[in-house]
Protein backbone atom coordinates (compact mmCIF):
# COMPACT_ATOMS: atom_id res chain seq x y z
CA UNK A 1 0.00 0.00 0.00
CA UNK A 2 2.83 2.40 0.87
CA UNK A 3 4.61 1.54 -2.37
CA UNK A 4 1.47 2.42 -4.33
CA UNK A 5 1.24 5.78 -2.55
CA UNK A 6 4.88 6.48 -3.30
CA UNK A 7 4.37 5.62 -6.97
CA UNK A 8 1.34 7.91 -7.20
CA UNK A 9 3.20 11.01 -5.94
CA UNK A 10 3.89 12.55 -9.39
CA UNK A 11 0.21 12.41 -10.33
CA UNK A 12 -1.05 14.10 -7.16
CA UNK A 13 -1.69 17.81 -6.70
CA UNK A 14 1.02 19.62 -4.66
CA UNK A 15 -1.20 19.84 -1.56
CA UNK A 16 -2.10 16.15 -1.80
CA UNK A 17 1.60 15.32 -2.14
CA UNK A 18 2.18 16.88 1.28
CA UNK A 19 -0.44 14.53 2.74
CA UNK A 20 1.16 11.58 0.94
CA UNK A 21 4.59 12.44 2.36
CA UNK A 22 3.10 12.56 5.86
CA UNK A 23 1.72 9.06 5.32
CA UNK A 24 5.06 7.76 4.07
CA UNK A 25 6.99 9.43 6.90
CA UNK A 26 4.93 7.90 9.72
CA UNK A 27 2.11 5.59 8.56
CA UNK A 28 1.27 4.40 12.08
CA UNK A 29 0.77 7.96 13.34
CA UNK A 30 -1.31 8.84 10.28
CA UNK A 31 -3.62 5.87 10.94
CA UNK A 32 -4.30 7.02 14.50
CA UNK A 33 -4.45 10.83 14.30
CA UNK A 34 -7.69 12.84 13.84
CA UNK A 35 -8.24 14.74 10.61
CA UNK A 36 -7.56 18.15 12.19
CA UNK A 37 -4.11 17.04 13.33
CA UNK A 38 -3.39 15.43 9.95
CA UNK A 39 -4.32 18.64 8.14
CA UNK A 40 -2.18 20.75 10.49
CA UNK A 41 0.85 18.51 10.09
CA UNK A 42 0.48 18.48 6.30
CA UNK A 43 -0.22 22.24 6.15
CA UNK A 44 -3.36 21.64 4.10
CA UNK A 45 -7.11 21.90 4.64
CA UNK A 46 -9.19 19.01 5.97
CA UNK A 47 -11.01 18.56 2.61
CA UNK A 48 -7.57 18.15 1.00
CA UNK A 49 -6.81 15.21 3.32
CA UNK A 50 -10.05 13.54 2.24
CA UNK A 51 -9.37 14.36 -1.42
CA UNK A 52 -5.95 12.71 -1.17
CA UNK A 53 -7.52 9.50 0.17
CA UNK A 54 -9.95 9.40 -2.74
CA UNK A 55 -7.19 10.21 -5.24
CA UNK A 56 -5.33 7.05 -4.24
CA UNK A 57 -8.42 4.87 -4.59
CA UNK A 58 -10.23 4.84 -1.23
CA UNK A 59 -13.75 5.88 -0.23
CA UNK A 60 -12.55 8.54 2.20
CA UNK A 61 -10.38 9.09 5.25
CA UNK A 62 -12.06 6.44 7.40
CA UNK A 63 -11.64 3.74 4.74
CA UNK A 64 -8.06 4.82 4.04
CA UNK A 65 -7.04 4.80 7.73
CA UNK A 66 -8.53 1.36 8.35
CA UNK A 67 -6.72 -0.14 5.35
CA UNK A 68 -3.51 1.66 6.29
CA UNK A 69 -3.64 0.42 9.89
CA UNK A 70 -4.25 -3.12 8.67
CA UNK A 71 -1.38 -2.85 6.21
CA UNK A 72 1.27 -1.52 8.60
CA UNK A 73 0.23 -3.85 11.43
CA UNK A 74 0.31 -7.04 9.34
CA UNK A 75 2.48 -9.56 11.16
CA UNK A 76 2.67 -7.48 14.34
CA UNK A 77 1.80 -9.76 17.30
CA UNK A 78 -1.08 -7.71 18.69
CA UNK A 79 -2.61 -4.34 17.95
CA UNK A 80 -5.94 -3.63 19.58
CA UNK A 81 -8.16 -1.21 17.69
CA UNK A 82 -11.14 -0.38 19.87
CA UNK A 83 -14.60 -0.20 18.40
CA UNK A 84 -16.03 3.31 18.61
CA UNK A 85 -19.67 4.38 18.90
CA UNK A 86 -19.32 6.35 15.67
CA UNK A 87 -18.02 3.38 13.65
CA UNK A 88 -20.04 2.29 10.66
CA UNK A 89 -20.85 -1.37 10.07
CA UNK A 90 -17.92 -1.77 7.69
CA UNK A 91 -15.55 -0.25 10.25
CA UNK A 92 -16.79 -2.63 12.94
CA UNK A 93 -16.33 -5.63 10.64
CA UNK A 94 -12.74 -4.67 9.88
CA UNK A 95 -11.84 -3.97 13.51
CA UNK A 96 -13.39 -7.13 14.97
CA UNK A 97 -11.84 -9.34 12.30
CA UNK A 98 -8.44 -7.63 12.50
CA UNK A 99 -8.36 -7.89 16.29
CA UNK A 100 -9.25 -11.58 16.12
CA UNK A 101 -6.64 -12.35 13.47
CA UNK A 102 -4.03 -10.37 15.44
CA UNK A 103 -4.80 -12.39 18.58
CA UNK A 104 -4.43 -15.65 16.63
CA UNK A 105 -1.12 -14.51 15.14
CA UNK A 106 0.13 -13.55 18.59
CA UNK A 107 -0.73 -17.01 19.88
CA UNK A 108 1.00 -18.62 16.92
CA UNK A 109 4.15 -16.65 17.70
CA UNK A 110 4.05 -17.17 21.48
CA UNK A 111 2.59 -20.67 21.93
CA UNK A 112 4.75 -23.40 23.41
CA UNK A 113 4.75 -26.58 21.28
CA UNK A 114 6.30 -28.37 24.28
CA UNK A 115 3.32 -27.50 26.50
CA UNK A 116 0.87 -28.58 23.78
CA UNK A 117 2.77 -31.86 23.36
CA UNK A 118 2.60 -32.54 27.11
CA UNK A 119 -1.16 -31.91 27.11
CA UNK A 120 -1.68 -34.22 24.11
CA UNK A 121 0.32 -37.01 25.76
CA UNK A 122 -1.77 -36.72 28.94
CA UNK A 123 -5.07 -36.74 27.04
CA UNK A 124 -3.99 -39.78 24.99
CA UNK A 125 -2.87 -41.63 28.10
CA UNK A 126 -6.26 -41.03 29.74
CA UNK A 127 -8.02 -42.21 26.59
CA UNK A 128 -5.88 -45.33 26.14
CA UNK A 129 -6.32 -46.41 29.77
CA UNK A 130 -10.05 -45.68 29.95
CA UNK A 131 -9.66 -42.87 32.46
CA UNK A 132 -11.89 -39.82 32.77
CA UNK A 133 -11.41 -36.67 30.70
CA UNK A 134 -13.35 -33.61 31.85
CA UNK A 135 -13.58 -29.98 30.76
CA UNK A 136 -14.37 -27.17 33.21
CA UNK A 137 -15.25 -23.60 32.30
CA UNK A 138 -17.41 -20.73 33.57
CA UNK A 139 -19.35 -18.13 31.59
CA UNK A 140 -18.00 -17.87 28.04
CA UNK A 141 -15.38 -20.47 28.94
CA UNK A 142 -18.22 -22.84 29.79
CA UNK A 143 -19.27 -22.67 26.13
CA UNK A 144 -15.70 -23.58 25.15
CA UNK A 145 -15.79 -26.54 27.57
CA UNK A 146 -18.98 -27.83 25.93
CA UNK A 147 -17.44 -27.43 22.49
CA UNK A 148 -14.37 -29.34 23.68
CA UNK A 149 -16.54 -32.22 24.88
CA UNK A 150 -18.26 -32.31 21.49
CA UNK A 151 -14.96 -32.38 19.59
CA UNK A 152 -13.48 -35.16 21.69
CA UNK A 153 -16.70 -37.16 21.67
CA UNK A 154 -16.52 -37.15 17.85
CA UNK A 155 -13.17 -38.89 18.22
CA UNK A 156 -14.80 -41.66 20.23
CA UNK A 157 -13.32 -40.26 23.44
CA UNK A 158 -15.73 -40.25 26.38
CA UNK A 159 -15.60 -36.85 28.07
CA UNK A 160 -17.73 -34.61 30.25
CA UNK A 161 -18.09 -30.82 30.36
CA UNK A 162 -19.22 -28.83 33.39
CA UNK A 163 -19.96 -25.11 33.54
CA UNK A 164 -21.64 -25.12 36.96
CA UNK A 165 -19.20 -24.39 39.80
CA UNK A 166 -20.77 -26.82 42.29
CA UNK A 167 -20.74 -29.64 39.74
CA UNK A 168 -17.09 -28.89 38.97
CA UNK A 169 -16.09 -29.15 42.63
CA UNK A 170 -18.09 -32.37 43.14
CA UNK A 171 -16.74 -33.94 39.95
CA UNK A 172 -13.16 -32.97 40.82
CA UNK A 173 -13.62 -34.78 44.13
CA UNK A 174 -14.26 -38.02 42.24
CA UNK A 175 -11.20 -37.80 40.00
CA UNK A 176 -8.09 -39.83 40.67
CA UNK A 177 -4.69 -40.84 39.27
CA UNK A 178 -4.71 -41.16 35.49
CA UNK A 179 -7.76 -38.94 35.07
CA UNK A 180 -7.40 -35.61 33.25
CA UNK A 181 -9.24 -32.30 33.61
CA UNK A 182 -8.89 -29.30 31.28
CA UNK A 183 -9.75 -26.04 33.06
CA UNK A 184 -10.55 -23.06 30.80
CA UNK A 185 -10.73 -19.42 31.91
CA UNK A 186 -9.62 -16.09 30.48
CA UNK A 187 -9.19 -14.25 33.79
CA UNK A 188 -8.30 -17.37 35.79
CA UNK A 189 -9.88 -15.82 38.88
CA UNK A 190 -13.11 -17.80 39.24
CA UNK A 191 -13.13 -19.25 42.75
CA UNK A 192 -14.99 -22.46 41.88
CA UNK A 193 -12.60 -23.21 39.01
CA UNK A 194 -9.61 -22.60 41.27
CA UNK A 195 -11.05 -24.87 43.95
CA UNK A 196 -11.95 -27.61 41.46
CA UNK A 197 -8.48 -27.50 39.91
CA UNK A 198 -6.86 -27.70 43.36
CA UNK A 199 -9.06 -30.65 44.43
CA UNK A 200 -8.41 -32.57 41.20
CA UNK A 201 -4.68 -32.05 41.54
CA UNK A 202 -4.64 -33.19 45.18
CA UNK A 203 -6.54 -36.33 44.19
CA UNK A 204 -3.85 -37.24 41.66
CA UNK A 205 -5.58 -36.19 38.42
CA UNK A 206 -3.55 -34.32 35.81
CA UNK A 207 -4.73 -30.74 35.36
CA UNK A 208 -4.33 -28.77 32.11
CA UNK A 209 -5.16 -25.08 32.38
CA UNK A 210 -5.92 -22.76 29.46
CA UNK A 211 -5.63 -19.23 30.80
CA UNK A 212 -3.60 -16.02 30.71
CA UNK A 213 0.02 -16.15 31.84
CA UNK A 214 -0.43 -13.81 34.80
CA UNK A 215 -3.69 -15.32 36.10
CA UNK A 216 -3.84 -17.19 39.45
CA UNK A 217 -5.00 -20.31 37.59
CA UNK A 218 -1.81 -20.38 35.51
CA UNK A 219 0.20 -21.86 38.37
CA UNK A 220 -2.58 -24.07 39.72
CA UNK A 221 -2.30 -26.82 37.10
CA UNK A 222 0.31 -29.31 35.97
CA UNK A 223 0.35 -28.03 32.38
CA UNK A 224 -0.28 -24.41 31.44
CA UNK A 225 -1.36 -23.54 27.90
CA UNK A 226 -0.94 -19.77 27.90
CA UNK A 227 -3.74 -17.87 26.14
CA UNK A 228 -2.89 -14.20 26.54
CA UNK A 229 -5.48 -11.77 25.28
CA UNK A 230 -6.26 -8.39 26.94
CA UNK A 231 -10.02 -8.82 26.98
CA UNK A 232 -12.08 -5.67 27.52
CA UNK A 233 -15.36 -5.77 29.36
CA UNK A 234 -17.20 -2.78 27.91
CA UNK A 235 -20.21 -3.38 25.70
CA UNK A 236 -18.22 -2.84 22.50
CA UNK A 237 -15.51 -5.40 23.25
CA UNK A 238 -15.62 -8.52 21.03
CA UNK A 239 -15.08 -11.81 22.90
CA UNK A 240 -11.87 -12.74 21.15
CA UNK A 241 -10.58 -14.78 24.09
CA UNK A 242 -13.35 -17.36 23.58
CA UNK A 243 -12.32 -17.81 19.94
CA UNK A 244 -8.70 -18.15 21.05
CA UNK A 245 -9.64 -20.87 23.54
CA UNK A 246 -11.68 -22.68 20.87
CA UNK A 247 -8.65 -22.65 18.59
CA UNK A 248 -6.47 -24.18 21.32
CA UNK A 249 -9.06 -26.92 21.83
CA UNK A 250 -9.01 -27.51 18.05
CA UNK A 251 -5.23 -27.92 18.17
CA UNK A 252 -5.46 -30.43 21.03
CA UNK A 253 -8.27 -32.40 19.38
CA UNK A 254 -6.47 -32.51 16.03
CA UNK A 255 -3.21 -33.69 17.59
CA UNK A 256 -5.03 -36.39 19.57
CA UNK A 257 -6.92 -37.51 16.44
CA UNK A 258 -3.67 -37.87 14.51
CA UNK A 259 -2.14 -39.96 17.32
CA UNK A 260 -5.17 -42.28 17.50
CA UNK A 261 -4.32 -43.24 13.94
CA UNK A 262 -5.98 -45.64 11.47
CA UNK A 263 -8.81 -46.70 13.79
CA UNK A 264 -10.33 -43.22 13.77
CA UNK A 265 -11.40 -42.66 10.10
CA UNK A 266 -13.83 -45.66 10.01
CA UNK A 267 -15.41 -44.43 13.24
CA UNK A 268 -15.88 -40.90 11.88
CA UNK A 269 -17.29 -42.30 8.64
CA UNK A 270 -19.82 -44.40 10.55
CA UNK A 271 -20.88 -41.37 12.62
CA UNK A 272 -21.31 -39.28 9.49
CA UNK A 273 -23.38 -41.95 7.73
CA UNK A 274 -25.63 -42.43 10.76
CA UNK A 275 -26.22 -38.69 11.05
CA UNK A 276 -26.92 -38.41 7.32
CA UNK A 277 -29.51 -41.20 7.57
CA UNK A 278 -31.35 -39.23 10.25
CA UNK A 279 -31.79 -36.14 8.09
CA UNK A 280 -34.97 -35.29 6.26
CA UNK A 281 -34.76 -35.43 2.49
Amino acid sequence: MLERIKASLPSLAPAEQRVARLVLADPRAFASLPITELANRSHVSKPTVVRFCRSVGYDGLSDFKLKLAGSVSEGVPFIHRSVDVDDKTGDVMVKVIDNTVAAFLKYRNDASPLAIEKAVVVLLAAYNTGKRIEFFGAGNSGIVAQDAQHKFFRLGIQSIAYSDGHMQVMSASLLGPGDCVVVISNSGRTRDLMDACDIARKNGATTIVITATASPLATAGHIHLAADHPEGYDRYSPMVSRLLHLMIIDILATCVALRIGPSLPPLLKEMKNNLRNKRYT
Side-chain angles (χ1 to χ4, degrees):
M1 181 176 180
L2 296 175
E3 289 299 321
R4 290 202 309 271
I5 294 171
K6 188 182 298 183
S8 70
L9 273 172
S11 63
L12 297 175
E16 294 174 3
Q17 289 182 8
R18 289 200 289 272
V19 182
R21 291 191 180 95
L22 181 64
V23 177
L24 296 172
D26 193 348
R28 294 184 189 280
F30 193 99
S32 62
L33 291 173
I35 187 171
T36 301
E37 181 65 17
L38 294 174
N40 290 339
R41 293 192 181 192
S42 303
H43 305 291
V44 299
S45 65
K46 289 189 284 188
T48 299
V49 175
V50 177
R51 192 162 54 248
F52 156 76
C53 297
R54 290 174 177 162
S55 294
V56 291
Y58 298 90
D59 294 335
L61 180 61
S62 178
D63 182 42
F64 178 83
K65 288 173 70 174
L66 283 172
K67 302 292 173 52
L68 179 64
S71 177
V72 298
S73 67
E74 185 177 358
V76 174
F78 183 80
I79 292 180
H80 182 70
R81 294 194 287 156
S82 298
V83 176
D84 187 83
V85 291
D86 296 324
D87 283 342
K88 297 179 181 178
T89 302
D91 300 335
V92 173
M93 285 178 56
V94 171
K95 288 184 177 181
V96 171
I97 293 171
D98 282 2
N99 286 335
T100 303
V101 171
F104 286 176
L105 288 173
K106 182 180 186 302
Y107 181 77
R108 183 195 67 184
N109 295 337
D110 297 346
S112 168
L114 179 60
I116 293 286
E117 175 65 19
K118 288 181 179 178
V120 171
V121 168
V122 168
L123 290 166
L124 273 170
Y127 164 69
N128 288 326
T129 56
K131 296 294 184 177
R132 296 172 63 177
I133 296 176
E134 301 191 355
F135 298 93
F136 295 169
N140 284 291
S141 299
I143 299 173
V144 179
Q146 292 172 7
D147 183 77
Q149 180 195 21
H150 173 76
K151 284 186 170 65
F152 277 79
F153 193 80
R154 283 186 68 247
L155 304 180
I157 298 177
Q158 298 292 333
S159 59
I160 302 173
Y162 293 115
S163 56
D164 178 84
H166 295 295
M167 291 296 294
Q168 290 165 358
V169 170
M170 287 190 292
S171 183
S173 303
L174 300 175
L175 296 175
D179 294 328
C180 177
V181 59
V182 181
V183 185
I184 309 158
S185 174
N186 187 50
S187 68
R189 299 180 184 279
T190 304
R191 181 61 182 270
D192 287 337
L193 284 177
M194 292 286 293
D195 288 345
C197 187
D198 184 55
I199 292 169
R201 186 169 183 170
K202 287 180 178 177
N203 286 346
T206 302
T207 53
I208 301 169
V209 295
I210 301 175
T211 187
T213 300
S215 79
L217 187 62
T219 56
H222 293 97
I223 302 170
H224 175 215
L225 304 183
D228 296 311
H229 179 75
E231 194 74 270
Y233 294 97
D234 59 73
R235 69 183 66 188
Y236 309 117
S237 176
M239 298 302 295
V240 175
S241 63
R242 184 172 70 186
L243 296 176
L244 183 59
H245 295 162
L246 287 169
M247 183 179 69
I248 295 172
I249 293 297
D250 268 349
I251 294 171
L252 292 176
T254 303
C255 288
V256 169
L258 291 172
R259 305 291 175 86
I260 291 176
S263 62
L264 183 58
L267 174 63
L268 295 177
K269 185 176 181 180
E270 181 183 359
M271 284 184 182
K272 189 172 184 179
N273 289 336
N274 289 336
L275 288 171
R276 186 183 292 113
N277 292 336
K278 294 293 182 183
R279 293 173 182 165
Y280 291 106
T281 58

